[in-house]
């Protein structure tokens, strides 16, 4: 029986533990904080095989520069003299090409479809409830320019085998009979789904504990004891622990840990915000991305969660209420009769999505170390890609054939 230490108690770490159990491994999850404070708890909860175009794409830098002029915009890079940020920015620019998008589409598609299949199996298994619903996703747009962009994306999706339907405003309204929807139209992806992330995370932790997984909360990793081509133990604030295999799934903090092993990992924390309202007379039925505002709306837990922004600010976890105001202001532009109160700062969730510069996650072995696997860099799709990531990690640990090819996800691809 292999012993595996997973550094990071977020969605990638927990699903890695889940699938490693199926291979009979002895698993410990090490988390620097509390398991109630991870990035995935406040996620928009969207499971999105539709998202096959990486963040690094033509035109994104121009849009980003324009958005940075507004405090309420959906995108912001905190200016700072930081070599890691400059390298990340250069690599993002370098990969914002049509050729990169073309190469990435089948990778993201296969990863997302594997994840959706595993979510479906998890829901059918019924180990715990996590609010699984297959209602699709609206990509709502309000102007002709965005319509043109989304028609192109729908064409790309259909060509890649992901069903996409371009709808008129009347067709959107017919599918949302309980609230007014003020849009030019939408692209509808019937194959997408959504969950309640809080239930998923709580359910996973409870299930894993019941199955014997050891959880070490408030244990920050200080160093690794290296012997030859393997890591013999993990040195934490609460003691030193030895494992046969180590999985680094520490989200936005992964570069700090990989650096201790001499592995450079270009990655930036992309801060996002969300808030939840339950005081609604009527609710939407289908999750939506409000495209011009780059904000999301997801029905869950009897209420409605709004989320958005991508604030590249390292590991700064402070709340910028101007960004939250931008999300709130967008709601009535798309759903004019929803009465959503502006949240108090204490009720605003924020999390750091680990963003790679090319929009593809890092899943694979860490260079010369024979017993270290990296699983991070999923950006805004951490929850959506969680099961696939965990499955692939478990296959790598146990030397099984992987469910999909991994070269494009190699953690050393920028070395």
């Amino acid at each position: 029986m292999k012993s595996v230490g997973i550094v990071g108690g977020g969605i990638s770490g927990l699903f890695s533990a889940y699938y490693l159990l199926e291979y009979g491994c002895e698993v410990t999850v090490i988390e620097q904080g509390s398991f109630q404070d991870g990035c995935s708890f406040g996620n928009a909860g969207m499971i999105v095989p539709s998202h096959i175009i990486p963040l690094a794409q033509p035109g994104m830098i121009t849009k980003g520069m324009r958005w940075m002029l507004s405090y309420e915009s959906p995108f912001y890079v905190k200016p700072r003299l930081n070599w890691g940020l400059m390298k990340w920015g250069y690599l993002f620019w370098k990969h914002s090409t049509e050729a990169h998008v073309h190469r990435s589409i089948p990778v993201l598609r296969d990863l997302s479809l594997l994840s959706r299949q595993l979510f479906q199996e998890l829901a059918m298994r019924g180990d715990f409830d996590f609010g699984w619903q297959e209602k699709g996703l609206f990509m709502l747009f309000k102007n002709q320019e965005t319509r043109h962009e989304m028609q192109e994306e729908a064409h790309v999706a259909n060509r890649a085998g992901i069903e996409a339907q371009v709808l008129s405003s009347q067709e959107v309204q017919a599918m949302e009979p309980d609230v007014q929807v003020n849009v030019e139209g939408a692209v509808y992806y019937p194959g997408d789904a959504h969950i309640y992330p809080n239930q998923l995370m709580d359910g996973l932790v409870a299930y894993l504990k019941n199955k014997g997984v050891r959880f070490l909360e408030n244990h920050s990793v200080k160093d690794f004891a290296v012997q030859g081509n393997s890591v013999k133990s993990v040195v934490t604030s609460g003691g030193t622990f030895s494992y046969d295999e180590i999985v680094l799934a520490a989200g936005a903090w992964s570069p700090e840990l990989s650096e201790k092993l001499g592995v450079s990992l270009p990655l930036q924390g992309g801060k996002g915000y969300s808030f939840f309202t339950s005081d609604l007379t009527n609710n939407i039925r289908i999750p939506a991305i409000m495209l011009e505002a780059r904000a999301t709306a997801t029905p869950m837990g009897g209420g409605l969660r709004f989320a958005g922004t991508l604030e590249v600010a390292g590991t700064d976890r402070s709340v910028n209420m101007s960004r939250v105001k931008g999300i709130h202001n967008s709601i009535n532009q798309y759903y004019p009769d929803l009465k959503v109160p502006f949240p108090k700062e204490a009720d605003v969730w924020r999390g750091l999505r680990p963003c790679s510069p090319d929009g593809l996650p890092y899943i694979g072995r860490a260079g010369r170390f024979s017993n270290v696997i990296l699983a991070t860099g999923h950006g805004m799709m951490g929850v959506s890609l969680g099961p696939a990531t965990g499955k692939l990690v478990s296959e790598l640990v146990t030397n099984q054939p992987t469910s999909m090819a991994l070269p494009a996800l190699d953690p050393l691809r920028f070395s």
Side-chain angles (χ1 to χ4, degrees):
M1 177 189 294
K2 275 192 174 182
S3 64
V4 184
I6 300 172
V7 180
I11 195 73
S12 294
L14 293 180
F15 267 118
S16 294
Y18 182 88
Y19 288 106
L20 283 164
L21 282 181
E22 293 190 347
Y23 285 108
C25 295
E26 181 183 88
V27 183
T28 301
V29 181
I30 303 169
E31 169 58 38
Q32 65 176 344
S34 163
F35 288 98
Q36 299 296 318
D37 195 33
C39 180
S40 299
F41 272 90
N43 188 280
M46 295 174 174
I47 311 305
V48 285
S50 60
H51 283 41
I52 57 174
I53 297 177
L55 186 62
Q57 58 183 274
M60 186 54 69
I61 291 177
T62 302
K63 285 183 180 178
M65 295 295 289
R66 186 169 67 246
W67 283 329
M68 283 184 67
L69 299 175
S70 168
Y71 285 111
E72 296 180 10
S73 74
F75 178 78
Y76 179 70
V77 178
K78 184 178 181 179
R80 58 197 189 279
L81 288 174
N82 179 279
W83 167 245
L85 175 61
M86 289 188 285
K87 181 179 180 181
W88 185 92
Y90 168 74
L91 289 169
F92 186 94
W93 168 78
K94 185 178 177 182
H95 287 84
S96 296
T97 66
E98 290 287 356
H100 171 65
V101 170
H102 181 74
R103 290 192 300 268
S104 300
I105 284 173
V107 179
L108 290 173
R109 177 198 62 202
D110 293 351
L111 195 57
S112 289
L113 291 176
L114 172 62
S115 225
R116 185 183 67 183
Q117 175 191 334
L118 294 170
F119 265 124
Q120 290 169 330
E121 292 174 2
L122 189 64
M124 290 174 60
R125 193 175 300 175
D127 293 327
F128 53 89
D129 179 38
F130 53 96
W132 176 255
Q133 294 191 59
E134 298 185 44
K135 293 188 175 181
L137 172 72
F138 278 143
M139 303 287 278
L140 301 174
F141 51 81
K142 293 183 66 66
N143 61 55
Q144 286 293 328
E145 180 184 354
T146 311
R147 171 187 280 277
H148 176 71
E149 291 178 9
M150 295 314 299
Q151 284 175 329
E152 288 297 314
E153 286 198 13
H155 175 67
V156 170
N158 281 314
R159 195 168 55 197
I162 303 295
E163 184 183 355
Q165 305 169 8
V166 182
L167 306 181
S168 67
S169 58
Q170 293 83 3
E171 290 170 318
V172 172
Q173 189 64 74
M175 295 175 70
E176 279 292 9
D178 301 325
V179 298
Q180 182 184 354
V181 189
N182 182 17
V183 293
E184 168 76 19
V187 173
Y188 176 59
Y189 290 97
D192 284 8
H194 68 285
I195 62 166
Y196 191 8
N198 305 57
Q199 285 186 349
L200 175 66
M201 298 295 284
D202 288 341
L204 271 172
V205 170
Y207 175 85
L208 294 172
K209 284 182 176 178
N210 185 53
K211 293 295 183 179
V213 172
R214 185 183 184 191
F215 284 82
L216 301 176
E217 289 186 272
N218 302 308
H219 280 59
S220 58
V221 173
K222 301 299 183 183
D223 208 350
F224 300 96
V226 175
Q227 183 177 329
N229 291 331
S230 66
V231 173
K232 291 301 180 183
S233 57
V234 182
V235 182
T236 79
S237 57
T240 300
F241 307 91
S242 298
Y243 307 102
D244 297 323
E245 295 267 0
I246 294 164
V247 179
L248 294 186
W253 288 267
S254 296
E256 298 175 16
L257 298 178
S258 68
E259 197 68 43
K260 297 179 187 297
L261 298 173
V263 177
S264 177
L265 196 68
L267 187 147
Q268 289 289 314
K271 194 189 320 181
Y273 303 102
S274 76
F275 55 92
F276 186 84
T277 184
S278 55
D279 301 324
L280 293 171
T281 305
N282 297 308
N283 202 349
I284 68 173
R285 299 186 181 187
I286 298 172
I289 295 179
M290 299 170 275
L291 283 164
E292 289 85 0
R294 291 302 194 274
T296 67
T298 314
M300 60 176 70
L304 189 54
R305 175 173 288 173
F306 297 96
T309 78
L310 181 66
E311 188 177 329
V312 180
T315 52
D316 172 18
R317 300 184 75 237
S318 62
V319 174
N320 184 335
M321 291 302 286
S322 293
R323 303 288 166 196
V324 179
K325 186 179 180 183
I327 299 171
H328 185 264
N329 287 347
S330 71
I331 298 169
N332 288 138
Q333 296 172 24
Y334 295 81
Y335 301 103
D337 56 355
L338 283 184
K339 307 302 179 186
V340 180
F342 187 71
K344 299 176 182 177
E345 184 171 337
D347 296 327
V348 174
W349 168 91
R350 78 277 189 249
L352 297 173
R353 297 86 141 230
C355 298
S356 71
D358 63 354
L360 298 176
Y362 298 114
I363 304 174
R365 293 203 172 271
R368 69 180 179 90
F369 296 103
S370 60
N371 67 332
V372 178
I373 292 168
L374 283 159
T376 187
H378 297 79
M380 292 175 282
M381 294 173 62
V383 167
S384 187
L385 299 178
T389 300
K391 182 70 170 176
L392 291 166
V393 165
S394 70
E395 291 165 346
L396 288 169
V397 167
T398 57
N399 299 313
Q400 304 293 318
T402 55
S403 297
M404 61 174 285
L406 297 181
L409 309 179
D410 183 1
L412 300 185
R413 61 185 180 267
F414 300 117
S415 298

